[in-house]
């Protein structure tokens, strides 16, 4: 991934790594989140209590900042995902289950729903990591595992996941005792041409249909 560098007023360079707010100086990240909260309060006359970091850029200082600024819930963590290739956070070993954090008071973490389906899902993270090595990438091991039904890492999102994959993930996690699911997508995907997931009006309609059909499955067939 290419990066660029431009000298900014606070001495920071705009790079791919710094697009993860958790990589900024603690005071700078605090200032950015406080500014975002203030803009929402001024524009919408609402006080935000839930925070989602851009690019899932959540770190230790982020947690302290959310506690300090009066947030109650974070939804930034994306389990089993590793963004270290361009300087981002590592969520290896985390599960898509509710958790709490905070030093002075308890805040709730509602993570993205990302997990594994398939015969090898109990060892999903280890097997997927091996399949993602340079050698595994050359033989397209991740794709082979997914197509064979052995192992598929899936995010509960219509961006990159099919309806069948989202249903398979939900059933697998439900069997594991997960009871809170988080279906997520980028809001610009609702306008054709704004993201790579939705390029045309037809693609947008299919995108929305996938969400609707998943909701039918979740609420009607599972009783969610």
């Amino acid at each position: 991934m290419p990066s660029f560098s431009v000298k900014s007023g606070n001495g920071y360079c705009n790079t791919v790594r710094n697009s993860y707010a958790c990589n900024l100086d603690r005071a700078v990240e605090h200032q950015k989140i406080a500014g975002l909260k203030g803009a929402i309060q001024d524009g919408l006359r609402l006080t935000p209590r839930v925070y989602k970091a851009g690019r899932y850029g959540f770190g230790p200082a982020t947690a302290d900042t959310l506690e300090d600024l009066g947030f109650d819930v974070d939804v930034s963590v994306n389990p089993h995902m590793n963004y270290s290739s361009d300087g981002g956070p590592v969520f290896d070993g985390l599960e898509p289950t509710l958790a709490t954090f905070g030093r002075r008071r308890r805040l709730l973490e509602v993570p993205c729903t990302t997990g594994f389906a398939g015969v090898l899902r109990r060892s999903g993270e280890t097997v997927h990591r091996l399949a993602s090595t340079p050698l595994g990438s050359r033989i397209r091991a991740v794709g082979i595992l997914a197509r064979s039904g052995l192992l598929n890492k899936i995010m509960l999102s219509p961006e990159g996941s099919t309806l069948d994959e989202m249903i398979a993930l939900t059933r697998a996690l439900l069997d594991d005792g997960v009871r809170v699911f988080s279906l997520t997508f980028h809001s610009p995907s609702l306008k054709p041409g704004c993201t790579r997931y939705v390029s045309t009006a037809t693609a947008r309609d299919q995108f929305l249909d996938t969400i609707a059909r998943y909701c039918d499955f979740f609420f009607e067939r599972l009783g969610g």
Side-chain angles (χ1 to χ4, degrees):
M1 180 181 293
S3 64
F4 61 94
S5 178
V6 179
K7 198 68 174 178
S8 63
N10 60 14
Y12 274 86
C13 292
N14 297 316
T15 64
V16 171
R17 186 178 187 280
N18 283 346
S19 66
Y20 296 99
C22 58
N23 289 333
L24 300 175
D25 180 83
R26 177 182 292 263
V28 175
E29 184 186 18
H30 189 289
Q31 183 180 22
K32 288 172 69 70
I33 296 175
L36 175 62
K37 178 182 178 181
I40 293 172
Q41 288 175 318
D42 292 343
L44 301 178
R45 297 294 187 266
L46 298 171
T47 299
R49 299 294 187 186
V50 181
Y51 176 75
K52 187 178 186 71
R55 306 197 72 198
Y56 313 104
F58 182 92
T62 315
D64 291 339
T65 293
L66 298 183
E67 184 176 355
D68 182 58
L69 292 176
F71 286 87
D72 297 316
V73 181
D74 177 75
V75 293
S76 306
V77 171
N78 200 354
H80 305 298
M81 297 300 292
N82 187 325
Y83 300 102
S84 61
S85 61
D86 59 359
V90 176
F91 299 121
D92 290 343
L94 299 183
E95 298 294 335
T97 53
L98 301 180
T100 58
F101 65 96
R103 300 178 191 273
R104 300 178 304 278
R105 61 185 180 87
R106 296 288 89 183
L107 284 76
L108 178 66
E109 178 62 45
V110 182
C112 299
T113 299
T114 300
F116 299 95
V119 177
L120 301 177
R121 69 186 182 89
R122 300 295 182 187
S123 302
E125 193 164 282
T126 299
V127 175
H128 196 276
R129 187 184 303 114
L130 291 172
S132 303
T133 61
L135 174 60
S137 297
R138 283 199 295 273
I139 64 174
R140 300 181 179 179
V142 170
I144 292 172
L145 287 170
R147 288 191 297 274
S148 66
L150 291 175
L151 184 72
N152 193 6
K153 182 161 76 170
I154 303 165
M155 184 173 182
L156 191 60
S157 172
E159 296 177 333
S161 299
T162 67
L163 175 64
D164 286 344
E165 287 176 325
M166 292 195 294
I167 289 175
L169 172 66
T170 303
R171 289 194 182 281
L173 293 178
L174 193 65
D175 288 344
D176 290 341
V178 175
R179 291 296 181 270
V180 177
F181 296 83
S182 177
L183 187 151
T184 59
F185 59 89
H186 296 83
S187 57
S189 288
L190 298 179
K191 182 176 181 180
C194 285
T195 73
R196 63 188 176 90
Y197 304 105
V198 177
S199 57
T200 65
T202 299
R204 179 205 54 211
D205 293 343
Q206 294 172 340
F207 185 86
L208 292 172
D209 183 62
T210 296
I211 296 173
R213 292 170 67 191
Y214 177 81
C215 289
D216 287 343
F217 156 78
F218 188 83
F219 293 114
E220 295 179 11
R221 291 170 62 184
L222 290 188

